[in-house]
Amino acid sequence: RYLLEQDFPGMRIGPEPTTDSFIAVMYGDSEGSIPGNALVVDPKKPFRKLSRFGNVFLNRFMCSQLPNQVLKSISIIDSPGILSGEKQRISRGYDFCQVLQWFAERVDRIILLFDAHKLDISDEFSEAIKSFRGQDDKIRVVLNKADQVDTQQLMRVYGALMWSLGKVINTPEVLRVYIGSFWASPLRNTENRRLFEAEAQDLFRDIQSLPQKAAVRKLNDLIKRARLAKVHAYIISYLKKEMPSVFGKENKKKELISRLPEIYIQLQREHHISAGDFPEVNKMQELLETCDFTKFHSLKPKLIEAVDNMLANKIASLMNLITQEENNMPTEIVHGGAFDGTMAGPFGHGYGEGAKEGADEEEWVVAKDKPAYDEIFYTLSPINGKISGISAKKEMVTSKLPNSVLGKIWKLADCDGDGMLDDEEFALAKHLIKIKLDGYELPGTLPSHLVPPSHRKPLQTAE
């Protein structure tokens, strides 16, 4: 709702788990909704494989279509609210985690939403997060409603969230958590406004970049699936080879299923495969229980060779083609909804702060502090109205900024590149030091509004 800036069919927002359906929010010329059973037989939609989850799930699945600019670039899957307690989980009537896993394998980004005032990770949420295993690079965490607590409480909440997530998501890297208040109402607590704005911009940039990288991610998924298919072939052909031709098939099947962890290790050594490429042992054992091992196929070395050839040679040329295509096409980013108007104008992040201060003022922004900077300037014994680099360095190092930063400030402030600073250039250097000490980033090149008046090129009018 926050991203689209409009309601969509089937939407209901409330403090309790309100959504009881999976809603695919997609672009359409007119507003409307398509129920799940009709959706999975539509060849134009990518949901046909979901029919295997049965009628109970399909009754809880729908597609909302609306003519929204944001949805021209991305589609959003809104999942049901998470329940706590064994009773509610059983009453869903379909395998919730399996459905989540199906979507997780196909989406480009997974956003986990937490409320700042109710952080508990229920059993179902924990199981849901575990179903995203192997998709860790897609996960982003949003700590929402952060304006409902003060700064001290927010620090504790953030720490508690990271601790809880560390127990559920077993990765050595720390997950990226975006803190903010993602709704269009006044902030309850405004002391962290700057933090919320910066975090929202980071999240928007992350989402906006998704269309650009879509082709590379699809190629990445293709490689991942090819590797998994190859490993699967090794496992199945091994089980087939070990089966007796006449008697004791059932006993041998049970023995092979129980020995699956050992078989994994043997195949890893034999074919030099990473342990991370093998499917989960327990899940594989469950699936093999219902299979007839005698109907499995033997290994076909030519097919394995073809897969290896594709991974070694074809993928590289595909990658080059994608790079060339991306360079030739205009940069595609998400537009519309909350994404418009957030990067420009006086309400854009950082506008009127740091190096952007004074951008829309006629007077040079450094002028207000120049008298104080001039006093320091004249104590440095200027010759012909300029001080040398050595004199400037003595004053600039008192800021205790690293030499690399001071070097950048010098490069920006020495507008005429003569290796000396006049009074305006010195005032500019002091202003840039102040910007850095206040915690803002320095600009890559000097913005026009910061150029000292005496160093500005006169405007030429055509005769």
Side-chain angles (χ1 to χ4, degrees):
R1 173 67 183 81
Y2 180 76
L3 294 177
L4 300 179
E5 291 188 343
Q6 76 174 95
D7 293 352
F8 56 87
M11 184 194 85
R12 193 163 73 84
I13 295 171
E16 78 285 4
T18 49
T19 318
D20 65 345
S21 303
F22 279 88
I23 303 176
V25 189
M26 304 177 81
Y27 183 82
D29 293 328
S30 58
E31 196 170 310
S33 60
I34 307 166
N37 282 291
L39 202 54
V40 294
V41 294
D42 185 348
K44 292 179 183 176
K45 295 281 189 292
F47 304 118
R48 301 187 81 170
K49 294 280 175 73
L50 282 167
S51 57
R52 68 186 171 94
F53 293 107
N55 258 338
V56 178
F57 164 71
L58 294 177
N59 289 336
R60 293 263 176 258
F61 179 47
M62 63 179 284
C63 174
S64 285
Q65 291 186 313
L66 59 159
N68 187 293
Q69 187 73 24
V70 174
L71 299 173
K72 282 187 173 181
S73 309
I74 55 171
S75 295
I76 303 166
I77 308 295
D78 181 23
S79 65
I82 296 290
L83 304 171
S84 56
E86 193 67 24
K87 188 179 175 187
Q88 293 100 316
R89 180 163 40 165
I90 292 165
S91 71
R92 281 200 194 270
Y94 61 90
D95 195 328
F96 180 61
C97 291
Q98 283 285 310
V99 175
L100 284 179
Q101 193 175 353
W102 189 92
F103 279 115
E105 287 168 1
R106 289 156 179 83
V107 298
D108 295 312
R109 187 64 76 240
I110 299 164
I111 297 179
L112 302 178
L113 278 161
F114 289 88
D115 279 7
H117 53 82
K118 44 179 182 189
L119 270 186
D120 59 312
I121 298 182
S122 65
D123 295 344
E124 190 175 44
F125 204 177
S126 178
E127 289 300 313
I129 295 170
K130 283 175 186 171
S131 68
F132 299 141
R133 195 159 287 156
Q135 314 293 337
D136 306 320
D137 58 318
K138 297 178 179 179
I139 296 175
R140 301 288 183 273
V141 179
V142 170
L143 180 58
N144 197 14
K145 304 182 186 176
D147 64 322
Q148 297 190 6
V149 293
D150 60 34
T151 306
Q152 190 180 15
Q153 289 171 322
L154 185 59
M155 284 174 65
R156 290 188 179 135
V157 164
Y158 180 80
L161 175 61
M162 297 305 284
W163 182 80
S164 303
L165 285 171
K167 290 171 71 180
V168 181
I169 301 174
N170 299 317
T171 55
E173 300 89 7
V174 176
L175 278 173
R176 175 69 162 98
V177 176
Y178 298 91
I179 302 166
S181 177
F182 295 92
W183 68 336
S185 293
L187 296 175
R188 304 259 180 101
N189 197 321
T190 58
E191 58 192 47
N192 292 310
R193 174 187 281 276
R194 262 185 63 197
L195 169 70
F196 298 161
E197 285 173 1
E199 293 284 281
Q201 288 299 333
D202 283 357
L203 180 61
F204 281 2
R205 271 194 291 269
D206 186 64
I207 296 171
Q208 282 185 303
S209 68
L210 291 176
Q212 283 174 265
K213 300 168 187 168
V216 176
R217 268 193 307 274
K218 282 174 185 170
L219 187 59
N220 188 49
D221 282 346
L222 173 68
I223 298 164
K224 199 190 288 185
R225 287 176 185 225
R227 288 164 67 98
L228 292 174
K230 190 174 141 187
V231 172
H232 190 74
Y234 282 131
I235 297 167
I236 296 302
S237 61
Y238 181 90
L239 296 174
K240 163 81 172 174
K241 189 175 71 178
E242 292 294 306
M243 285 299 282
S245 53
V246 187
F247 301 112
K249 290 179 182 177
E250 203 55 42
N251 289 337
K252 188 65 179 176
K253 176 182 168 179
K254 284 177 184 172
E255 183 207 321
L256 287 169
I257 290 172
S258 63
R259 275 186 51 232
L260 200 59
E262 297 165 37
I263 293 167
Y264 276 15
I265 294 164
Q266 188 182 329
L267 291 172
Q268 280 170 42
R269 288 179 187 151
E270 200 177 314
H271 301 288
H272 309 291
I273 306 166
S274 164
D277 286 351
F278 282 81
E280 203 181 327
V281 174
N282 296 339
K283 192 179 169 188
M284 193 66 175
Q285 285 172 326
E286 274 178 47
L287 292 168
L288 288 172
E289 292 281 355
T290 56
C291 296
D292 182 354
F293 286 15
T294 57
K295 289 183 179 174
F296 287 168
H297 292 282
S298 301
L299 192 70
K300 293 174 181 169
K302 277 192 176 178
L303 289 178
I304 296 291
E305 210 176 292
V307 172
D308 286 337
N309 179 46
M310 179 197 74
L311 292 172
N313 305 314
K314 302 282 173 66
I315 293 295
S317 57
L318 259 179
M319 194 69 214
N320 285 335
L321 284 172
I322 288 170
T323 310
Q324 284 170 20
E325 195 173 291
E326 282 179 350
N327 291 338
N328 295 334
M329 287 172 70
T331 305
E332 189 185 350
I333 60 168
V334 181
H335 290 291
F339 297 101
D340 281 358
T342 57
M343 307 297 276
F347 296 98
H349 172 57
Y351 192 90
E353 299 172 349
K356 294 175 186 173
E357 187 188 353
D360 50 4
E361 293 173 18
E362 283 185 27
E363 192 183 353
W364 188 39
V365 69
V366 184
K368 64 179 187 291
D369 296 316
K370 192 170 180 292
Y373 299 147
D374 282 350
E375 283 182 31
I376 302 167
F377 179 77
Y378 288 110
T379 64
L380 299 171
S381 310
I383 299 166
N384 298 327
K386 293 194 174 190
I387 57 170
S388 66
I390 293 167
S391 300
K393 183 180 176 182
K394 283 177 187 171
E395 172 57 31
M396 288 169 74
V397 293
T398 60
S399 66
K400 297 182 180 175
L401 285 170
N403 276 357
S404 57
V405 175
L406 291 173
K408 189 175 181 182
I409 289 171
W410 173 270
K411 197 174 175 184
L412 291 168
D414 186 12
C415 298
D416 52 14
D418 63 352
M420 303 178 87
L421 300 181
D422 61 25
D423 60 327
E424 286 186 342
E425 288 174 324
F426 179 76
L428 173 61
K430 293 292 283 182
H431 181 73
L432 293 169
I433 286 170
K434 180 173 172 284
I435 286 171
K436 191 65 187 171
L437 291 175
D438 287 345
Y440 298 101
E441 286 305 308
L442 293 171
T445 54
L446 194 66
S448 57
H449 70 277
L450 285 183
V451 176
S454 64
H455 291 269
R456 291 177 188 176
K457 290 175 183 173
L459 292 171
Q460 294 179 341
T461 54
E463 288 182 9

